[in-house]
Every structure is written in C-alpha cells, then in structure tokens.
Amino acid sequence: MELSVLNIKGEDTGKKVSVSEEIFGIEPNTHAIYLDVKLYLANQRQGTHKSKERAEVNRSTRKIKRQKGTGGARAGSMKSPVFVGGGRIFGPRPRDYGFKVNKKVKALARKSAFSAKAQSDAISVLEAFTFDAPKTKSYLNVLNSLSLTNTKTLLILPAIDSNVYLSSRNIPKAKVATVDSVNTYDLMYADRLLISESALSILETQLNK
C-alpha cells in the first residue's frame, strides 16, 4: 500500500511512501479493538467510590423500642439499612476496574485500528515539521491548510516535540501523540490520522515485533 506525502500547507510533495500491509491492510478485528478500548476506559476510572455500610455509620446502637407489643416489626440499632440515615446495603467499595489483555491482543487491536482508518481513507502522511515556538495559531494554520479545522484529528510523531504539542493543546478536537504513547482508543476516536513520515518506520518496527 502506498500513501502520498503532504506538506503542512496541504500540498502533495510528489513523494509516496510504502506502508506495511500487516499494519494498514489487515481485516480489522473488532473484538480486539473492543477489549483494548474497554481496558483503556477502565484504567481511566479512579475507583475511589465508597459508601458507609452498617458497621461504619455513626449512630446509636441502643435498642430503639421494645421487642414485642408495639404492633410493628422488631428493631434494634438505628444503623440498620431500613432506617433513614442507616448504613447502605451492598454499597460501592474502592476497587480497581483494570483487567488483563494479552500483549499480542493489544498489538492486534492497534493494527486493526490503523487498518480500519486506512479502509476509510482517513490517514494522511505529513512531511516532518516543527515550530519555532509554541503557538496555537501555527497549528491551526496547519489544520486549515489540510481542511481539518472542525475534524477530530490525531497527529502521530516519532518523538516528543514540545512546540508542536503545546501548540495543539488548546484546540479541542486536536490531539498529538508519539509512536510510543498512541493507543487504540485515540486511534478510533479520531476522524483523521495525521502520521509524520518519520514516524512510519518506527511504528512498523514496534507493531511487527
């Protein structure tokens, strides 16, 4: 598979790059994508929720009425969950929502995500670029040139470029990631992938391990 290389003005440079069929040309495995996205979202949860149960509520344990003769149900402590202000039955407890996904399944999920975007013609390869200083306007100009101003985009770089990252940070639908940090959720969330030409070889090396 070959992709045209564009510059940051949105012009075709005339260059073409060959990309690996093993990453951009497979049949997407939707279940692998589902598992990896589910894991990512689970790991975003703090899991610090907690409610007080019967043993933790600060209320009197004095028997509130005699056992027999009242005509109502027997009752002891005001901590009982049947009373207002009592403990909660089976309330939430702190927990870790994470689960295990095999390394090969994670790799398959990322390959499937790239292939799904390639099938949708939602991948653009850009010439390597940087900015002299972090300016939101600079990154907006790049998006304007590519006609992607109101599109959810993900730019994949070979390594951290502070000026590019900081320039994109204040744009709601734009995200910048490195080859090392990109994940299946970000790939599927974006409507358009912008991959730096220099990032392709690193990407292929990592995913074909």
Side-chain angles (χ1 to χ4, degrees):
M1 181 187 292
E2 288 191 336
L3 296 173
S4 299
V5 180
L6 308 177
N7 59 25
I8 58 173
K9 294 180 180 177
E11 301 164 345
D12 192 337
T13 61
K15 290 191 292 182
K16 287 188 180 292
V17 290
S18 295
V19 294
S20 172
E21 289 285 341
E22 293 179 13
I23 297 174
F24 295 92
I26 67 169
E27 181 64 33
N29 187 315
T30 54
H31 188 64
I33 292 173
Y34 158 76
L35 287 175
D36 206 20
V37 170
K38 184 180 178 182
L39 176 65
Y40 173 84
L41 293 175
N43 288 335
Q44 302 307 299
R45 300 186 69 172
Q46 282 187 313
T48 53
H49 38 48
K50 178 73 176 78
S51 67
K52 289 186 177 181
E53 298 183 2
R54 182 172 184 149
E56 299 161 323
V57 175
N58 185 19
R59 301 198 77 182
S60 171
T61 56
R62 179 181 66 87
K63 188 167 176 66
I64 58 173
K65 62 181 182 180
R66 58 185 180 157
Q67 181 78 346
K68 292 178 174 290
T70 61
R74 54 195 173 183
S77 169
M78 288 296 289
K79 291 184 177 185
S80 171
V82 301
F83 294 121
V84 174
R88 182 169 174 188
I89 305 172
F90 303 128
R93 293 179 175 181
R95 57 166 291 199
D96 177 12
Y97 282 89
F99 57 95
K100 185 178 184 294
V101 173
N102 292 335
K103 196 185 295 184
K104 288 184 179 179
V105 175
K106 289 181 181 179
L108 176 60
R110 286 198 294 277
K111 289 178 184 178
S112 297
F114 279 116
S115 293
K117 293 299 178 185
Q119 287 178 9
S120 303
D121 196 24
I123 297 178
S124 297
V125 179
L126 298 182
E127 263 187 336
F129 70 94
T130 188
F131 300 135
D132 295 330
K135 284 189 176 179
T136 303
K137 191 173 183 179
S138 300
Y139 198 81
L140 274 174
N141 289 338
V142 173
L143 294 179
N144 286 334
S145 300
L146 297 168
S147 303
L148 297 173
T149 312
N150 293 314
T151 305
K152 290 184 289 188
T153 59
L154 174 65
L155 172 64
I156 302 174
L157 299 174
I160 295 171
D161 185 324
S162 297
N163 288 347
V164 174
Y165 170 71
L166 293 172
S167 298
S168 70
R169 196 168 57 171
N170 209 29
I171 303 171
K173 294 184 178 181
K175 182 161 186 175
V176 173
T178 63
V179 172
D180 292 330
S181 67
V182 72
N183 60 69
T184 308
Y185 176 84
D186 288 337
L187 291 171
M188 297 307 296
Y189 183 77
D191 292 326
R192 190 84 190 174
L193 299 184
L194 306 173
I195 306 176
S196 173
E197 185 181 2
S198 51
L200 278 171
S201 57
I202 304 170
L203 191 66
E204 291 179 5
T205 302
Q206 282 202 356
L207 289 178
N208 283 329
K209 280 182 181 177

